[in-house]
Amino acid sequence: MVQTISNGSKPTMNGIDPALKPRLRRRSTFEYVAWVVSILLGAGILFSVSTNPNFKWDVVAKYFTHESILRGLMLTIFLTVASMALGTLLGLVIAIMRSSKVKPIAATAGVFITLFRGTPVLVQLIFWFNISALYPNLTIGIPFTDIGTAIDTNALMGPITAALVGLTLNEAAYMAEIIRGGFSSVGKGQIEAADSLGMSAATKMRKIIIPQAMPSIIPATGNQVIGMFKETSLVSVLGVAELLQSAQLIYARTYETIPLLIVASLWYLVMTLVLSYPQSKLEQKYSHTSARVPRKARKVQLTAPEGIAR
């Protein structure tokens, strides 16, 4: 049998790449019934929510782009981006330390991961906000000498700084395990081949390890970004005027609790959808380096078998 594949992919020994074969599935009667029930249920909920005056959609529309809501949204995005960037960098360092063959270094990284993954984020945030009760002053200088400078911890650790420190350290513990898992997915033979070619550690990391580890790291990291965006609502306990706190400040004054919570929820939903798009694009980009089955069956053009007239 002669087969021609439109996208230029190489056929297998049998002439057909299993990953490129179109998947056909016969829909059952139960599936059609389930579709009808789901559509009726969704339409009923949508009609009830849209026609219930207690939701006060006019108030939702009024405050959806309110100045303080948008300001809180910007602060939420800043905390998410900054915490993820710093947490990923610190997590990379901790992952390398955790994979070290030097036991004290690996043990130190293990203690860090255990400590920050094993305690609630809310507790960590409150702890860092009150760190001045334990250390009123931080001294930076040379140990056992008079050379150094004292910094007032209470002035240094404001609400936003405490939120950023708490979220970053917590995220670093999770990212360290995600990155370490990605590194572990790279075959030992690939590392040995890079060593045999005389690659430096930096080149080996950039050319061999990271491209092969990314398909494992990207999906989990994308979930962490989305989770972090919603997790920033915890910093409202510190008085940080992020998105949820901004909504709370408004409904504490207007008593429009439900409409303001809907405003915050809609923004969280919108930003989650926005953040999901680059995640899917990155997954598609790095999936080319692995042998994953594509999401959609590619177009396959078959010619007439040899010896059979059309």
Side-chain angles (χ1 to χ4, degrees):
M1 174 181 292
V2 179
Q3 181 188 31
T4 303
I5 301 175
S6 61
N7 58 10
S9 300
K10 296 179 180 179
T12 60
M13 294 177 61
N14 296 327
I16 299 176
D17 188 345
L20 301 179
K21 291 174 67 177
R23 266 59 173 176
L24 299 178
R25 184 173 62 86
R26 184 188 297 275
R27 289 192 175 92
S28 64
T29 305
F30 176 76
E31 185 172 350
Y32 287 109
V33 173
W35 270 111
V36 172
V37 172
S38 299
I39 292 173
L40 291 177
L41 182 63
I45 294 174
L46 184 62
F47 178 78
S48 174
V49 171
S50 61
T51 57
N52 188 339
N54 295 326
F55 280 96
K56 299 182 180 179
W57 292 109
D58 56 329
V59 179
V60 173
K62 175 184 176 183
Y63 286 104
F64 189 71
T65 55
H66 192 272
E67 181 183 356
S68 59
I69 293 292
L70 294 181
R71 196 163 50 240
L73 177 64
M74 291 299 106
L75 183 55
T76 297
I77 294 174
F78 165 74
L79 288 175
T80 303
V81 174
S83 299
M84 281 304 304
L86 296 174
T88 302
L89 290 176
L90 183 58
L92 176 61
V93 174
I94 296 171
I96 294 173
M97 292 173 60
R98 189 79 175 88
S99 303
S100 174
K101 295 180 181 178
V102 182
K103 293 296 183 183
I105 295 178
T108 302
V111 170
F112 177 90
I113 293 170
T114 302
L115 180 63
F116 286 96
R117 283 202 314 167
T119 54
V121 185
L122 183 59
V123 174
Q124 296 176 31
L125 292 172
I126 297 174
F127 175 83
W128 289 112
F129 186 60
N130 294 281
I131 189 67
S132 59
L134 299 175
Y135 299 98
N137 295 294
L138 290 178
T139 302
I140 300 176
I142 301 175
F144 309 111
T145 65
D146 296 331
I147 302 174
T149 303
I151 301 175
D152 184 2
T153 309
N154 199 28
L156 175 66
M157 198 63 74
I160 294 180
T161 305
L164 191 58
V165 170
L167 294 175
T168 297
L169 293 178
N170 183 263
E171 189 58 37
Y174 284 95
M175 286 304 302
E177 288 298 272
I178 291 173
I179 294 172
R180 191 172 67 89
F183 289 171
S184 301
S185 66
V186 180
K188 185 179 179 181
Q190 299 287 326
I191 307 295
E192 293 174 348
D195 292 335
S196 66
L197 292 174
M199 289 186 178
S200 64
T203 303
K204 186 169 61 179
M205 179 67 71
R206 190 177 70 254
K207 298 286 188 180
I208 304 297
I209 297 178
I210 289 180
Q212 297 189 55
M214 288 303 276
S216 300
I217 294 175
I218 288 295
T221 304
N223 291 332
Q224 288 297 114
V225 173
I226 294 172
M228 175 61 73
F229 182 75
K230 293 180 289 187
E231 214 165 64
T232 54
S233 62
L234 294 174
V235 305
S236 61
V237 300
L238 307 182
V240 177
E242 44 74 57
L243 179 57
L244 180 60
Q245 177 72 358
S246 299
Q248 289 174 335
L249 290 175
I250 293 176
Y251 72 65
R253 187 177 65 253
T254 63
Y255 301 103
E256 303 282 2
T257 304
I258 298 298
L260 266 301
L261 289 179
I262 292 176
V263 169
S265 300
L266 288 176
W267 273 119
Y268 281 119
L269 181 60
V270 168
M271 291 306 300
T272 298
L273 293 175
V274 170
L275 292 172
S276 299
Y277 179 74
Q279 176 192 353
S280 63
K281 300 303 291 184
L282 284 172
E283 285 184 33
Q284 291 177 12
K285 176 182 177 181
Y286 284 102
S287 66
H288 294 309
T289 61
S290 64
R292 292 180 175 180
V293 177
R295 289 184 174 184
K296 295 181 180 179
R298 299 174 184 173
K299 184 179 179 181
V300 178
Q301 180 180 358
L302 299 177
T303 61
E306 291 181 351
I308 300 178
R310 292 187 176 184

